[in-house]
Amino acid sequence: MENEPSLIFDLAHNALSYRMLDEGYVQLLRFNDSDNEPFTSHPLYRAMAKTSASVCLRFVTKSEAVLEIRRYNPSLLVKAGEQALDFASLYGRPLDLSETLDVSVDGVLSHRPLASGRITFEAGHDVAVHLPLHHQVGIRIEGNVEPVAKPARTLVLLGDSIVQGVGIHHPSQNLGGRLGSLLGVQVLNQGLAGAMINAKFVQKLEMASPVSSILISLGTNDWTIRETLAEIRGEMFALLGRVRKFYPKVPVLLLTPLYRTDILQNKPMGTFGQLTQALVQATKCFPAVEVADGLSLSLRDAYDDQFLHPDQKGIAFLAKTLAPLIPFQR
């Protein structure tokens, strides 16, 4: 294998596309137009839209193979003259994005430090490399490797930081990967830290494995930022309308916001219960849109930040209880 980008993409499960970086490194992507609106409208979006959340390299080594990883550190600073929400102050506490690079060889998993470097694999092994959830990396690979076949169906996740993987520090434990294993499908993780309900995030995807189901999990950020319930209903209505424009017959599951410790507070738009009700009301005008109750799928004592983002235990429970509820196109 001569580090051809298309050959590297053949190894990548749960990826949408790729781009070339300097010195022959390849970046595996999960959004079509991560250089355009709305993915460049905030420094957090700019940084997170180019991560490879839930992407996993899977291959069998036919000779010694060397995987090279280069870590990139994009700026989270607001550009001069740019108006952007201060997510840090809204969140109100430090955001822990530390994570590992997870490597499995013949089913034996190791958590390695996330750093630029080389990993050598001997011939004759089944390898899985889970790429970072929150950090941008480029990869190169040399040696004779054979890709592992990808599932024939794709589940698309549209969501916020919880879907992307904030709160999870080992990428092999993320929601997308767990759902993929439980359901036997590709999972395109289009979760984006800080995301609010925005129809422009919905993209028309061209994939070898067709989109067979869509899971939407948004609204918790809107509750703390938006002013009215009418705005929430309108934004979700527009998002679902765009989903139906691109995917008229694909089943959709709306996961209402998960439990958070400030759930009893009143926000400018109203209560948490009113938020959930507004989201559900927006689904009534669209066919084949089902609803899963996020509160009933939440563990109340399994949060990485003791507040909002489920930890490994919480995400494992969510994946196990959510998987049977996800409808697929026949």
Side-chain angles (χ1 to χ4, degrees), residues 96-310:
D96 183 1
L97 297 180
S98 62
E99 60 180 324
T100 59
L101 181 73
D102 289 2
V103 179
S104 172
V105 179
D106 297 332
V108 179
L109 183 68
S110 62
H111 304 305
R112 301 179 179 227
L114 177 56
S116 299
R118 296 160 58 94
I119 305 174
T120 301
F121 303 99
E122 296 179 351
H125 294 286
D126 293 320
V127 176
V129 180
H130 300 266
L131 298 183
L133 301 168
H134 319 112
H135 298 88
Q136 295 183 23
V137 295
I139 59 173
R140 300 191 307 197
I141 189 166
E142 295 181 359
N144 184 8
V145 299
E146 182 178 282
V148 173
K150 302 176 186 180
R153 300 182 300 173
T154 296
L155 165 65
V156 175
L157 306 184
L158 300 174
D160 48 33
S161 56
I162 296 172
V163 170
Q164 182 178 338
V166 174
I168 301 300
H169 304 290
H170 302 307
S172 59
Q173 300 169 349
N174 79 96
L175 178 64
R178 289 183 181 276
L179 287 175
S181 296
L182 290 167
L183 295 168
V185 297
Q186 290 255 69
V187 178
L188 184 62
N189 183 345
Q190 294 199 318
L192 192 63
M196 297 190 293
I197 304 167
N198 185 342
K200 293 180 180 179
F201 283 133
V202 180
Q203 301 182 319
K204 184 170 177 57
L205 307 173
E206 300 293 339
M207 304 183 69
S209 302
V211 175
S212 299
S213 185
I214 298 171
L215 173 68
I216 300 171
S217 179
L218 289 160
T220 198
N221 293 324
D222 299 78
W223 186 51
T224 61
I225 295 171
R226 296 193 190 275
E227 296 291 328
T228 68
L229 291 168
E231 186 180 10
I232 284 283
R233 283 191 295 268
E235 293 291 343
M236 182 55 75
F237 186 90
L239 186 148
L240 290 171
R242 190 168 167 93
V243 168
R244 278 290 162 255
K245 174 184 176 181
F246 293 150
Y247 309 100
K249 296 182 179 180
V250 174
V252 174
L253 181 67
L254 172 67
L255 173 64
T256 60
L258 304 181
Y259 176 82
R260 45 189 292 166
T261 58
D262 59 354
I263 195 172
L264 296 180
Q265 291 184 9
N266 271 341
K267 303 295 182 182
M269 73 166 56
T271 67
F272 194 83
Q274 289 174 316
L275 161 74
T276 297
Q277 185 179 33
L279 294 173
V280 174
Q281 286 173 343
T283 70
K284 300 302 184 182
C285 297
F286 298 92
V289 178
E290 300 179 19
V291 177
D293 177 31
L295 290 183
S296 67
L297 303 181
S298 302
L299 290 181
R300 307 298 172 92
D301 61 349
Y303 282 78
D304 182 68
D305 52 10
Q306 311 305 314
F307 164 56
L308 177 64
H309 296 100

